[in-house]
Amino acid sequence: MDLRGRPCTLYPISAQGAGVMPTGFDFTPVAQAYMGGLVADLSKAGLNVLMPVVGAPDQGLSIRGQIVRADPGSRLMRYLFTWFAGAAVFEAEGQFGEGTVLLGSFHAKGTRRAGFGGGDSQKMLIDAARLAGQQSAGQILAALLATHQA
Amino acid sequence: MNGMPPGYPPSGPQYGNGFYPQVRSRLQWQAYVRARLDAGQPVVQMLAEMAASGVSQPDAYGLVAEVIAAMRKRALGIIGVGCIAVLVGLGVTVITMQAARDAAEGSGSGMYVVWWGPVVAGAIAAVYGLRAYLKIPSLHP
C-alpha cells in the first residue's frame, strides 16, 4: 500500500494522567523528542504529517497519544547497577483512526540504561523519548499496512 | 465493620480523604501504582486514591496485585543473576586453582585466575535485589 502524500493529523502528545513525570528539569524537550521521532519516521514512510487546526476537522489519518510514564531514572543507580536499575524510560500509548473509524492503537516504550558516568538523566530521557516515537511510528505503519493487506 | 476491604469508604463522596480524582488509562495506573509503591506509599492509601478516581474495587485490587507480582519477579530476577555471577566467579577461580595445582605437581608451576569481578558485582546485585524484595508491600497486610 502506498502511503505517499496521505495526510495525517498528529495531535501533540498529552501528559494528562501520566503515571510518572520528571520533576527536576523542563519536560518540553522530552515531548519534542518523542514527537520528532514519530514525525520523522511517519514522514519517511511518505505520510504528510499535519498539525490539528482548532475548529477544523482532522485531515486523513488522526493520531492521538498520551504519556504513560516519563521516568528519568537515577544517574547514581545507572552508574552503580548498569542494566539493572536506574533506567530512563519513556512510555507512551495512543490510538489512530480515520474519521470515526478506529484503525488501531499503539504502545511504545523507549529505555536507556547506560551512559558515561551513568549518563545525564535529561539527555537519557530525551533519547528514550525519541526511541519511543520511532517505535510508535513503526507500530502505526505496520498496522496501516496490515489493515490494507487484509 | 461494613465488610468492605480496607481503602474503600462504605458510601458517600470519595473526596473526603483529600485525593483528587484522576482519569488514567490502565497502563497509566500501572505506572503510577508502581512508582508510588516504590516510593513507599502504603497499599491501603493507594487503593483509597484509586477508589477516589472511580476505579472499581476488583480492578484496583487486580491492578495492584499485578504490579506487586511484577516487582517481585524483577527483584527475584536480580537476585538470581547476582547469585549466578557469584557462582561463575567462584567457579572459574576454583577450577583454575585446581588446574594450577595439578600443573604445579607435574611441571613445578601453574597459573590460576582469581576472578573477583563477577563475585563482587554479583554480591552487590544480590544484596540490591534482596533489599528491593524486602521492600515490596503485601496486598493483604
Side-chain angles (χ1 to χ4, degrees):
Chain A
M1 181 215 166
D2 191 5
L3 295 172
R4 277 178 293 181
R6 186 172 173 185
C8 165
T9 305
L10 178 61
Y11 283 77
I13 190 155
S14 165
Q16 172 70 31
V20 181
M21 289 287 281
T23 54
F25 49 81
D26 184 18
F27 181 69
T28 309
V30 181
Q32 286 175 345
Y34 174 82
M35 296 300 289
L38 181 58
V39 168
D41 279 22
L42 290 176
S43 300
K44 234 185 273 182
L47 286 169
N48 180 18
V49 183
L50 306 162
M51 287 283 288
V53 175
V54 177
D58 293 341
Q59 294 190 49
L61 192 66
S62 171
I63 302 173
R64 291 171 194 262
Q66 61 186 12
I67 296 169
V68 174
R69 62 175 167 143
D71 185 358
S74 162
R75 183 169 193 166
L76 177 64
M77 297 301 268
R78 283 193 297 269
Y79 180 71
L80 291 176
F81 305 108
T82 312
W83 306 109
F84 289 112
V89 180
F90 187 95
E91 194 175 352
E93 61 175 351
Q95 296 178 323
F96 57 96
E98 204 147 7
T100 56
V101 178
L102 177 68
L103 293 176
S105 59
F106 61 89
H107 171 221
K109 185 160 83 168
T111 308
R112 285 296 310 272
R113 297 183 189 278
F116 182 74
D120 177 66
S121 289
Q122 185 177 16
K123 284 191 185 137
M124 302 283 278
L125 189 58
I126 287 171
D127 281 346
R130 187 173 302 115
L131 187 59
Q134 291 167 347
Q135 287 178 7
S136 300
Q139 290 177 22
I140 292 168
L141 293 169
L144 283 175
L145 291 172
T147 304
H148 284 84
Q149 276 169 6
Chain B
M1 284 293 295
N2 52 19
M4 295 291 282
Y8 281 80
S11 62
Q14 306 292 316
Y15 311 156
N17 52 14
F19 296 126
Y20 290 99
Q22 270 279 7
V23 177
R24 290 192 170 105
S25 70
R26 185 174 173 78
L27 280 175
Q28 286 178 323
W29 270 117
Q30 274 183 343
Y32 182 75
V33 167
R34 177 73 178 260
R36 298 311 303 158
L37 291 182
D38 273 342
Q41 184 173 359
V43 170
V44 168
Q45 198 178 36
M46 192 72 251
L47 292 169
E49 197 174 330
M50 295 172 79
S53 295
V55 180
S56 71
Q57 173 197 342
D59 283 349
Y61 265 77
L63 205 131
V64 172
E66 253 179 59
V67 170
I68 288 175
M71 288 168 78
R72 283 209 177 104
K73 188 177 171 189
R74 180 177 173 269
L76 288 174
I78 292 174
I79 292 170
V81 169
C83 291
I84 288 170
V86 167
L87 288 173
V88 166
L90 288 175
V92 167
T93 305
V94 165
I95 288 169
T96 54
M97 281 181 79
Q98 187 61 43
R101 192 172 299 143
D102 292 344
E105 280 172 6
S107 60
S109 69
M111 195 177 73
Y112 63 93
V113 172
V114 179
W115 207 16
W116 58 268
V119 176
V120 170
I124 292 173
V127 169
Y128 172 81
L130 184 63
R131 195 167 160 267
Y133 186 84
L134 293 174
K135 276 174 65 178
I136 296 170
S138 171
L139 185 57
H140 304 286

